């Protein structure tokens, strides 16, 4: 085939190429091994010496030219194939999707995590004790003596003469002090059990115990920590107020109120017009409790507090019945999606 014929033929052949197979056939016929361009190359043997150079150049030009025609066509064919695939794989984004319900943390878990975050930020560790306790840890070593009213059958779920469902997280204090010597800074979250049930009580509820034991710990340290706690949980403007109280394991003992975060202290339905809401109990660890755990009370002192988690959740989220927190009503729980 002459150079001129190849040129015209190539153009005509490419003009009708429509897909990758036809393009491959074109390549084989003109540019491949033994194809027309190679045949032209081979023809150099029969060209007189003085014309070889010009002949070689001319064939080379043809080769480059055919290659460029091929490349151009390949871009076009590839694009066409891609567009065809797009058309085939088209997705109708207007179709309604199947809704997948994403879960969320239970409000009690949220509050528990929030409280832990605040105190871990102050250097506290977290310890969890058993839900089945003995008399010794739950009462006696916490200085709750044999005739104390909180041992009454109505409050405590006794399992045997000695074993019971813990009535508070305070036995965690004893377990930590048995295992560890001061300085101690620990939080004990957990479920507790009492035979009691109404709008603001449930036979099972959750508490968070706090215990700090070190040299020179005073009631001021307790109030300082709790101030930080109520600010983080309720509002920057929240303040605490300590009122004298009584717990066998603390001396002195206090009830801690937070300034009403709804009315800011003016008096409203939430704080029953007083401007203050009771949130927890605490105090300076009774020396007897330290001594019961082998800690020298002439060297060390401690502070302790116990927070009712449901109560905090109810106050913070405006929940009026504690039972709602345990019913697993999805419509109710969905509201607490963070
Ligand atoms: N254990 C108490 C209760 O369940 C709460 C409490 C009060 C814990 C004072 C303390 C504390 O650590 O110091 O009612």
């Amino acid at each position: 085939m002459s150079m001129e014929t190849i040129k015209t033929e190539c153009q005509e052949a490419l003009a009708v190429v429509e897909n990758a197979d036809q393009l491959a056939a074109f390549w084989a016929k003109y540019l491949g091994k033994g194809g027309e361009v190679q045949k032209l190359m081979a023809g150099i043997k029969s060209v007189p010496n003085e014309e070889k150079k010009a002949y070689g150049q001319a064939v080379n030009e043809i080769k480059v030219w055919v290659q460029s025609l091929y490349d151009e066509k390949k871009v076009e064919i590839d694009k066409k194939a891609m567009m065809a695939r797009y058309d085939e794989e088209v997705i109708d984004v207007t179709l309604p999707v199947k809704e997948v319900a994403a879960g969320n943390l239970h409000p009690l878990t949220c509050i528990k995590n929030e409280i832990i975050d605040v105190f871990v930020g102050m250097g506290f560790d977290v310890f969890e004790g058993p839900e089945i306790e003995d008399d010794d840890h739950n009462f006696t070593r916490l200085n709750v003596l044999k005739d104390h009213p909180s041992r009454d059958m109505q409050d405590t779920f006794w399992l045997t003469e000695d074993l019971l469902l813990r009535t508070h997280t305070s036995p965690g204090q004893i377990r930590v002090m048995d295992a560890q010597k001061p300085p101690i800074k620990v939080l004990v979250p957990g479920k507790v059990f009492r035979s009691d049930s109404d709008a603001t009580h449930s036979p099972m509820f959750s508490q968070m115990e706090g215990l700090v034991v070190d040299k020179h710990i005073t009631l001021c340290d307790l109030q300082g920590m709790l101030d930080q706690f109520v600010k983080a949980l309720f509002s920057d403007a929240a303040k605490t107020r300590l009122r004298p109280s009584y717990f066998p394991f603390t001396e002195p003992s206090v009830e801690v109120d937070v300034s009403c975060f709804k009315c800011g202290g003016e008096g409203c339905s939430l704080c029953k017009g007083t401007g203050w809401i009771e949130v927890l109990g605490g105090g300076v660890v009774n020396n007897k409790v330290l001594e019961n755990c082998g800690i020298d009370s002439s060297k060390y002192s401690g502070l302790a507090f116990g927070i009712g988690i449901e109560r905090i959740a109810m106050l913070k989220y405006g929940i009026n019945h504690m039972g709602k927190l345990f019913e697993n009503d999805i419509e109710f729980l969905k509201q607490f999606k963070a």
Side-chain angles (χ1 to χ4, degrees):
M1 212 181 269
S2 77
M3 295 193 199
E4 281 317 305
T5 324
I6 288 187
K7 273 188 166 181
T8 33
E9 239 196 63
C10 276
Q11 271 174 319
E12 282 168 14
L14 262 188
V16 294
V17 163
E18 282 185 343
N19 57 40
D21 286 347
Q22 291 169 352
L23 188 66
F26 173 88
W27 168 272
K29 180 160 183 204
Y30 295 98
L31 291 162
K33 225 175 170 184
E36 294 301 335
V37 173
Q38 263 196 9
K39 280 188 205 158
L40 278 181
M41 287 284 197
I44 200 162
K45 280 184 275 170
S46 48
V47 173
N49 274 351
E50 61 280 15
E51 288 171 28
K52 275 195 196 316
K53 189 176 169 198
Y55 182 88
Q57 273 175 353
V59 174
N60 210 37
E61 269 167 30
I62 289 199
K63 185 182 169 192
V64 171
W65 179 77
V66 178
Q67 179 72 47
S68 72
L69 282 189
Y70 169 87
D71 290 345
E72 242 172 64
K73 192 73 184 184
K74 184 163 179 354
V75 170
E76 188 191 314
I77 296 278
D78 286 350
K79 192 169 170 196
K80 223 168 104 183
M82 192 169 76
M83 295 318 275
R85 225 185 78 205
Y86 283 171
D87 281 346
E88 215 171 89
E89 293 178 357
V90 76
I91 295 167
D92 182 356
V93 290
T94 65
L95 278 178
V97 290
K98 227 181 174 181
E99 216 179 302
V100 179
N104 54 281
L105 292 179
H106 192 282
L108 289 178
T109 308
C110 296
I111 295 281
K112 179 177 134 182
N113 290 347
E114 260 187 72
I115 300 177
I116 290 179
D117 276 355
V118 175
F119 286 103
V120 164
M122 296 184 214
F124 278 68
D125 289 325
V126 175
F127 167 83
E128 284 181 280
E131 289 175 7
I132 294 178
E133 270 296 3
D134 54 25
D135 182 297
D136 206 42
H137 289 85
N138 196 81
F139 293 129
T140 309
R141 288 169 75 199
L142 281 165
N143 196 37
V144 184
L145 301 176
K146 287 278 181 222
D147 53 359
H148 194 275
S150 67
R151 289 186 170 215
D152 196 302
M153 282 300 285
Q154 282 174 6
D155 287 326
T156 308
F157 290 113
W158 288 94
L159 302 176
T160 67
E161 227 168 76
D162 185 45
L163 295 178
L164 48 90
L165 295 180
R166 67 177 171 201
T167 58
H168 50 182
T169 43
S170 304
Q173 294 188 27
I174 304 294
R175 293 192 176 272
V176 169
M177 285 190 279
D178 276 350
Q180 209 181 313
K181 292 306 148 205
I184 292 170
K185 232 178 178 184
V186 75
L187 278 183
V188 187
K191 291 196 176 83
V192 301
F193 307 84
R194 284 183 209 175
S195 180
D196 203 354
S197 184
D198 60 31
T200 53
H201 295 89
S202 149
M204 181 205 76
F205 59 107
S206 333
Q207 286 188 336
M208 180 85 69
E209 194 81 11
L211 173 72
V212 177
V213 184
D214 203 347
K215 289 180 177 148
H216 316 298
I217 296 293
T218 69
L219 203 59
C220 290
D221 296 306
L222 177 68
Q223 187 159 25
M225 282 179 180
L226 296 179
D227 267 333
Q228 290 305 309
F229 162 68
V230 297
K231 280 188 204 321
L233 231 77
F234 296 113
S235 98
D236 264 348
K239 287 187 297 226
T240 57
R241 173 177 84 169
L242 306 188
R243 279 181 294 108
S245 184
Y246 172 77
F247 299 102
F249 27 90
T250 42
E251 179 58 40
S253 301
V254 292
E255 300 282 0
V256 181
D257 297 339
V258 60
S259 53
C260 182
F261 41 86
K262 191 169 171 200
C263 64
E266 303 277 298
C268 68
S269 59
L270 186 67
C271 59
K272 302 193 180 82
T274 64
W276 295 94
I277 299 172
E278 186 190 323
V279 281
L280 58 101
V284 172
V285 178
N286 193 316
N287 283 345
K288 286 190 195 144
V289 175
L290 294 179
E291 298 293 342
N292 285 343
C293 299
I295 293 176
D296 184 348
S297 62
S298 65
K299 272 204 199 136
Y300 294 102
S301 55
L303 62 83
F305 55 87
I307 308 172
I309 304 201
E310 284 77 3
R311 183 167 162 75
I312 302 283
M314 289 168 79
L315 287 170
K316 189 162 168 171
Y317 299 132
I319 300 167
N320 57 9
H321 201 291
M322 199 186 275
K324 289 214 173 81
L325 290 168
F326 303 115
E327 279 164 9
N328 283 338
D329 171 356
I330 204 87
E331 289 308 314
F332 170 76
L333 294 174
K334 257 191 337 207
Q335 303 173 77
F336 302 97
K337 214 168 254 183

